[in-house]
Amino acid sequence: MATSLHNLSDYDFDSIPDASNMSFGIVVAEWNPDITGALLDGAVKTLEAHGALPENIHVKTVPGSFELIYGAHMMTLKGFYDAIIVLGSVIRGETPHFDYICQGVTYGIAKLNATSEIPVIYGLLTTNDLQQAKDRSGGKHGNKGDECAIDAIKMAKF
C-alpha cells in the first residue's frame, strides 16, 4: 500500500530472485484503461527487469474488475504459471457499487490464494478519485504494477 512513507516502486533490486525461469500470467481489467494500462506496463517492465522473458509473460484482458476473479481462476487451471497477477482499478462513485465490487474481488482473490497451488497477486487499486489512481499507477506514489511484479516473483520463489 502506498503511503507518504512508502513508494510502491521502491524496493531493494538486488534482493529479488532471478525470474528468468519463471512464467507469469497477468489478468488486467479494461475498465479505467489509462490506469490499468499503466499498471500493466509497470508490471511487465519490472518482471523483465528481473529476468522474465517476454514470451513467459502472458496477458489476458477482462471487461471489468469483478471479472478478474474468473480470469485469474482460469489461469490457475492452466498449470504452467509460477504466479498470476490481477490488475484493476475501481474508483469510488456516487453509489455503493464501489463497495460491492471491491469486497467481491478481494474475497474472490483471497479464495483463489487459499485454494490454488499458484499464488495470485492482488493488484486492485481501490481509490476515492481519479487522482489517487493516477498517483498509484506511475505517479507520486509509484506504480502498484511494479509492486505486484515483485510480489509475484517472490511468491513464485516461495
Side-chain angles (χ1 to χ4, degrees):
M1 169 165 68
T3 68
S4 60
L5 302 176
H6 177 75
N7 185 297
L8 294 164
S9 299
D10 287 345
Y11 62 95
D12 178 9
F13 190 94
D14 295 327
S15 70
I16 307 306
D18 177 35
S20 60
N21 291 321
M22 297 179 183
S23 179
F24 300 94
I26 302 176
V27 185
V28 59
E30 295 171 341
W31 197 258
N32 294 323
D34 291 343
I35 303 302
T36 60
L39 295 172
L40 176 62
D41 186 53
V44 169
K45 285 181 179 176
T46 301
L47 290 171
E48 290 177 349
H50 291 282
L53 302 174
E55 59 266 24
N56 290 336
I57 302 170
H58 304 266
V59 178
K60 297 286 186 182
T61 60
V62 294
S65 291
F66 198 77
E67 293 78 23
L68 291 168
I69 303 162
Y70 177 82
H73 175 66
M74 296 310 293
M75 283 189 157
T76 66
L77 298 178
K78 298 286 183 198
F80 55 78
Y81 298 112
D82 294 297
I84 296 161
I85 300 169
V86 298
L87 299 172
S89 173
V90 184
I91 300 170
R92 188 178 300 277
E94 297 176 358
T95 68
H97 178 76
F98 172 89
D99 299 309
Y100 299 125
I101 295 299
C102 295
Q103 183 178 29
V105 175
T106 301
Y107 175 78
I109 299 306
K111 185 175 179 181
L112 281 175
N113 270 307
T115 60
S116 172
E117 294 182 13
I118 301 167
V120 181
I121 308 305
Y122 182 87
L124 181 69
L125 289 180
T126 57
T127 59
N128 290 318
D129 57 48
L130 179 60
Q131 188 58 53
Q132 288 178 345
K134 288 179 179 179
D135 290 345
R136 289 156 178 79
S137 60
K140 70 180 182 179
H141 293 302
N143 190 321
K144 181 74 172 173
D146 296 345
E147 181 185 60
C148 289
I150 294 306
D151 292 350
I153 294 167
K154 287 181 174 183
M155 291 306 295
K157 187 70 174 171
F158 187 82

